[in-house]
């Protein structure tokens, strides 16, 4: 049998010497093994607790997020229940009782009596409309001729209301260019174009709740033949569109 060799005291397998005894053994001439690597010092980790300000900001943020979420859910539920629709307006008829243009020293003035008939439609099933004011502005070639108004009133659910407003102009001043064009149209009996702007300020009402004010603006284009000594004015076309 082969002899089993055990490592002797100076062999590499037995040469580990603790760090604290290394210098003493070296001074005594003893054989020492390799120097063990020094232990790495790791300072303890201190976890900093959140401050009061940071905690307050987090709670405040959560509070506002919750409020916004509840507000959004409320608006969504109300919309699903009420299904609101914007009311619509259209110009049904125009009657020119008078329409006279005069010229004095290159200045033009217009005397006119016009009756507008409007149709206001509320398509909502559960919402009424409280009108605060309806203003009607009349323009020709960029010049504002005048304004008429319709008093405040309430319109019920799914209701269509016919409204009338009279515009009386007495010596309404026109610019030189607009007066010249209108005078030429009257003398040649050609079409005259007017622009009618309807501004509606209203609120929605459902139950005992009244909403904030909102505006609806409509622009109507009207074309008509001006009146003559033998024939009254006649409207050939009118069309309206909502601007917002």
């Amino acid at each position: 049998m082969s002899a089993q060799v055990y490592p002797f005291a100076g062999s590499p397998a037995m040469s580990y010497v603790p760090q604290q005894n290394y210098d003493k053994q070296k001074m005594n001439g003893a054989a020492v093994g390799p120097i063990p690597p020094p232990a790495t010092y790791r300072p303890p980790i201190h976890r900093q607790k959140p401050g009061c300000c940071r905690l307050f900001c987090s709670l405040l943020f959560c509070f506002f997020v919750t409020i916004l979420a509840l507000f959004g859910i409320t608006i969504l539920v109300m919309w699903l229940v009420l299904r609101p629709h914007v009311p619509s307006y259209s110009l049904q008829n125009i009657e020119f009782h008078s329409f006279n243009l005069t010229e004095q020293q290159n200045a033009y003035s217009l005397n006119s009596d016009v009756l507008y008939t409007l149709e206001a439609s509320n398509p909502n099933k559960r919402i009424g409309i409280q009108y605060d004011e309806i203003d009607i502005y009349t323009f020709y070639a960029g010049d504002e001729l005048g304004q008429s108004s319709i008093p405040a009133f309430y319109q019920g659910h799914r209701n269509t209301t016919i409204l009338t407003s009279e515009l009386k102009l007495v010596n309404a001043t026109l610019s030189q260019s607009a007066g010249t064009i209108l005078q030429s149209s009257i003398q040649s009996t050609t079409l005259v174009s007017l622009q009618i702007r309807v501004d509606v300020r209203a609120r929605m009402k459902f139950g005992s709740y009244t909403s904030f004010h909102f505006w609806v603006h409509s622009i109507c284009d009207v074309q008509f033949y001006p009146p003559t000594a033998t024939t009254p004015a006649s409207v050939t076309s009118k069309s309206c569109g909502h601007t917002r």
Side-chain angles (χ1 to χ4, degrees):
M1 294 180 63
S2 59
Q4 187 174 3
V5 180
Y6 293 93
F8 57 89
S11 64
M14 300 294 293
S15 61
Y16 174 77
V17 179
Q19 179 67 28
Q20 61 269 23
N21 297 329
Y22 174 76
D23 294 335
K24 184 184 295 185
Q25 292 180 8
K26 185 176 181 182
M27 292 176 63
N28 297 332
V32 295
I35 302 174
T40 303
Y41 174 75
R42 295 182 179 179
I45 299 176
H46 298 283
R47 297 185 179 274
Q48 186 177 4
K49 295 182 179 180
C52 296
C53 182
R54 184 178 179 183
L55 181 60
F56 175 76
C57 292
S58 299
L59 293 176
L60 188 62
F61 175 77
C62 294
F63 173 76
F64 279 113
V65 170
T66 303
I67 293 298
L68 289 177
L70 293 176
F71 180 75
I73 293 174
T74 302
I75 294 298
L76 177 61
V77 171
M78 291 178 63
W79 183 85
L80 292 175
V81 172
L82 299 175
R83 296 296 178 94
H85 298 279
V86 178
S88 60
Y89 309 92
S90 60
L91 184 63
Q92 294 296 306
N93 191 28
I94 304 177
E95 298 178 15
F96 291 90
H97 297 161
S98 63
F99 194 85
N100 302 314
L101 181 69
T102 59
E103 180 186 3
Q104 295 180 353
Q105 297 179 354
N106 294 328
Y108 294 90
S109 60
L110 180 64
N111 294 274
S112 178
D113 187 359
V114 185
L115 182 66
Y116 297 112
T117 302
L118 302 177
E119 181 183 272
S121 177
N122 176 18
N124 294 284
K125 184 178 180 180
R126 299 181 177 89
I127 300 176
I129 306 295
Q130 177 63 53
Y131 293 93
D132 294 332
E133 60 182 272
I134 298 179
D135 295 325
I136 303 172
Y137 300 87
T138 303
F139 297 87
Y140 174 75
D143 289 356
E144 180 180 339
L145 300 180
Q147 172 194 351
S148 60
S149 300
I150 296 175
F153 69 97
Y154 174 78
Q155 185 179 28
H157 310 157
R158 287 189 173 179
N159 177 267
T160 299
T161 305
I162 302 299
L163 308 168
T164 58
S165 179
E166 188 175 16
L167 174 65
K168 290 186 176 182
L169 302 178
V170 179
N171 295 328
T173 303
L174 295 178
S175 63
Q176 181 70 27
S177 58
T180 302
I181 296 173
L182 182 57
Q183 185 182 53
S184 176
S185 298
I186 294 175
Q187 291 175 352
S188 59
T189 319
T190 56
L191 284 174
V192 175
S193 298
L194 294 180
Q195 188 177 68
I196 314 299
R197 192 183 77 199
V198 181
D199 294 343
V200 179
R201 186 174 186 260
R203 294 169 291 172
M204 291 187 176
K205 296 188 67 175
F206 38 94
S208 59
Y209 176 76
T210 302
S211 72
F212 53 85
H213 292 96
F214 66 90
W215 287 89
V216 178
H217 304 279
S218 298
I219 300 296
C220 301
D221 294 317
V222 177
Q223 288 188 330
F224 68 99
Y225 285 105
T228 63
T230 57
T231 59
S234 60
V235 178
T236 60
S237 65
K238 55 183 182 298
S239 60
C240 298
H242 295 289
T243 58
R244 68 172 183 268

